[in-house]
Amino acid sequence: MSTTQPHLFVIFGGTGDLTKRKLLPSLYRITMENGVGEDLNILGVSRTDHGDDEYRGWARDALVAAGVDAAAATEWVQRMFYTRVAADEGDLAAVRDEIETIEQKRGLPGNRALYLALPPPSFPDTISMLGEAGLNTSPGWTRLVIEKPFGSDFETAEQLNAVVHDHFTEDQIYRIDHYLGKETVQNVLAFRFSNLLFESAWSRDRIHKVEITVAEEIGIEGRSGYYERAGVMRDMVQNHLTQLLTLVAMEAPHSFNADAIRTEKVQALQAVTVDPDHVVFGQYTEGVVDGEEIPGYLDEEGVAVDSTTATFVALRLAVNSWRWQGVPFYLRTGKRMPRKTTQIVVTFQRPPVCLFHGVEDECEMHSNVLILTLQPDEGFELRFDVKAPGEPLHLVAKPLHFDYEEAFESIPDAYQTLLYDVISGDQTLFVRSDEVETSWQLWDELIDMPATVHAYAAGTWGPEQTDIALGRPGESWTLSD
């Protein structure tokens, strides 16, 4: 049963690509699948010159393009309204007046979700205007949703937090990172803290190493303007990989609530140290993948011919806590890699004494390996040794598989999960201000550090210097098939 209340969902950037591709389809599914029903009313806000009916037609087309039945989409968009903000307007008084008019017309109690589906440079001014227009309070609840990236370094994140806190309280703020909305990312917590079998072995006494890989097949997809400013550290490491790292490394919260979980994530981050000597950056060059010629990064439209922007990074870090002291964590992410995959690989210690030997007296025991696959083909795999039939004695590593889609048929879209949490008031999967700042503090040195960027061919797993730079020459990374 839904835990939501009647409310108005206000989208600033209401005619943008994010609204079209992600927000509207997700809001539609929430009303169909999460039992929200008529509780949801939507107001789109942008500079485009639309009326209510024209906006509803635009939204209907967006839903049909996302696979929604045309008749169902036509009926659903009747809950939508639109107001235009002129480019030269310096306040949001007209938006406030429109919100109050809709609430009176629809008999709403004043509950409001304010979603900033806007370019990050516009966040500070928009947040200030919301506060100045009195849209930081209401007769019901008010929740502000801010898309990532939240700042571009520690200083800008701190400044943006200051602007936000000038007008909103932390319990009103939902900093959204769609990665945390993935069911399988959330399930890392359930996997760890509901299964004593694994949590009791989740420490330096039993674990040899942890590897986290976020690999993308695609290049920059026409986003050279953004990517030249961001690079791989801002685009992937400061947010996505950091979230996965904290979920693996954090201690058990005292209860399963937002503040308890987020406090443990921050404490895990505070224990992390990175040695710049164990970091390698890369940039993809041209290559051939499945018979198709792939251009290099420097050949992408809008990229400077002498650009040193990294599209790949691998690094080794330490978590200096009682649980993890001495266990290396290896993180890597890159574009134009052989396949799209996100995996957390936990390699356990080998037994202290080898009892099983091959014909040449070499130890045949392998480490147990746990592989959590977050995308695609979500699930997990546990590798363990068994005796192969016949003689002489021979051990082979075999996997035990679990596949989420086979077990549960369908998995909600990340935005569907997160938007439902916004309107039901659950902040568990949203990033708190101190976590944002701690994360930027951790990575700022690497972002600003002049570094050699090594070439790697499109369709490969990164520069050949990677494992040497990480202090693991000849040691291959573990991935599921």
Side-chain angles (χ1 to χ4, degrees), residues 128-188:
S128 295
M129 287 191 291
L130 287 169
E132 290 161 3
L135 287 170
N136 52 348
T137 60
S138 67
W141 49 254
T142 299
R143 294 164 189 159
L144 176 67
V145 188
I146 307 174
E147 271 282 342
K148 76 170 189 68
F150 195 92
S152 57
D153 54 23
F154 171 69
E155 183 179 359
T156 56
E158 190 177 41
Q159 291 170 351
L160 183 53
N161 270 331
V163 172
V164 172
H165 290 147
D166 280 344
H167 302 284
F168 294 85
T169 58
E170 186 63 30
D171 62 355
Q172 292 179 294
I173 303 164
Y174 292 70
R175 297 174 189 83
I176 194 167
D177 181 344
H178 75 276
Y179 229 65
L180 283 177
K182 294 180 181 293
E183 286 287 327
T184 44
V185 172
Q186 300 169 57
N187 201 59
V188 175

Side-chain angles (χ1 to χ4, degrees), residues 43-298:
L43 171 63
V45 180
S46 84
R47 295 177 178 177
T48 307
D49 191 10
H50 283 327
D52 286 350
D53 289 340
E54 190 175 359
Y55 187 56
R56 289 167 182 156
W58 177 87
R60 173 193 174 280
D61 291 344
L63 291 173
V64 171
V68 176
D69 175 75
T74 300
E75 179 181 355
W76 188 84
V77 298
Q78 298 309 307
R79 71 185 67 218
M80 300 183 68
F81 303 87
Y82 182 80
T83 188
R84 179 176 178 269
V85 176
D88 58 351
E89 283 188 14
D91 64 65
L92 295 174
V95 175
R96 180 197 60 218
D97 294 344
E98 181 67 12
I99 288 173
E100 292 173 352
T101 298
I102 294 170
E103 287 175 341
Q104 184 176 16
K105 181 186 299 185
R106 303 282 289 190
L108 302 178
N111 297 322
R112 302 165 184 169
L114 312 174
Y115 198 112
L116 303 189
L118 300 168
S122 66
F123 289 168
D125 287 346
T126 304
I127 292 166
S128 295
M129 287 191 291
L130 287 169
E132 290 161 3
L135 287 170
N136 52 348
T137 60
S138 67
W141 49 254
T142 299
R143 294 164 189 159
L144 176 67
V145 188
I146 307 174
E147 271 282 342
K148 76 170 189 68
F150 195 92
S152 57
D153 54 23
F154 171 69
E155 183 179 359
T156 56
E158 190 177 41
Q159 291 170 351
L160 183 53
N161 270 331
V163 172
V164 172
H165 290 147
D166 280 344
H167 302 284
F168 294 85
T169 58
E170 186 63 30
D171 62 355
Q172 292 179 294
I173 303 164
Y174 292 70
R175 297 174 189 83
I176 194 167
D177 181 344
H178 75 276
Y179 229 65
L180 283 177
K182 294 180 181 293
E183 286 287 327
T184 44
V185 172
Q186 300 169 57
N187 201 59
V188 175
L189 292 176
F191 188 88
R192 282 190 57 190
F193 300 126
S194 66
N195 294 293
L196 187 61
L197 171 67
F198 294 107
E199 180 57 20
S200 61
W202 212 257
S203 73
R204 57 188 171 87
D205 296 325
R206 294 289 181 265
I207 292 177
H208 170 59
K209 63 181 178 182
V210 177
E211 299 168 321
I212 300 175
T213 296
V214 179
E216 297 182 285
E217 282 184 304
I218 61 172
I220 58 174
E221 302 295 288
R223 299 185 305 148
S224 59
Y226 160 75
Y227 204 85
E228 279 284 271
R229 295 190 304 271
V232 69
M233 292 297 298
R234 291 186 175 96
D235 185 47
M236 295 297 291
V237 176
Q238 185 274 331
N239 39 69
H240 301 335
L241 273 82
T242 299
Q243 294 300 330
L244 299 182
L245 169 64
T246 57
L247 294 177
V248 173
M250 66 182 280
E251 296 296 325
H254 64 77
S255 62
F256 200 82
N257 66 53
D259 268 342
I261 291 171
R262 296 192 295 180
T263 294
E264 294 301 338
K265 290 171 65 183
V266 171
Q267 290 179 351
L269 271 183
Q270 291 171 337
V272 173
T273 57
V274 183
D275 184 347
D277 290 336
H278 292 308
V279 180
V280 60
F281 292 97
Q283 184 187 89
Y284 65 84
T285 60
E286 67 277 358
V288 177
V289 179
D290 296 330
E292 179 185 357
E293 292 187 6
I294 303 297
Y297 181 74
L298 298 182

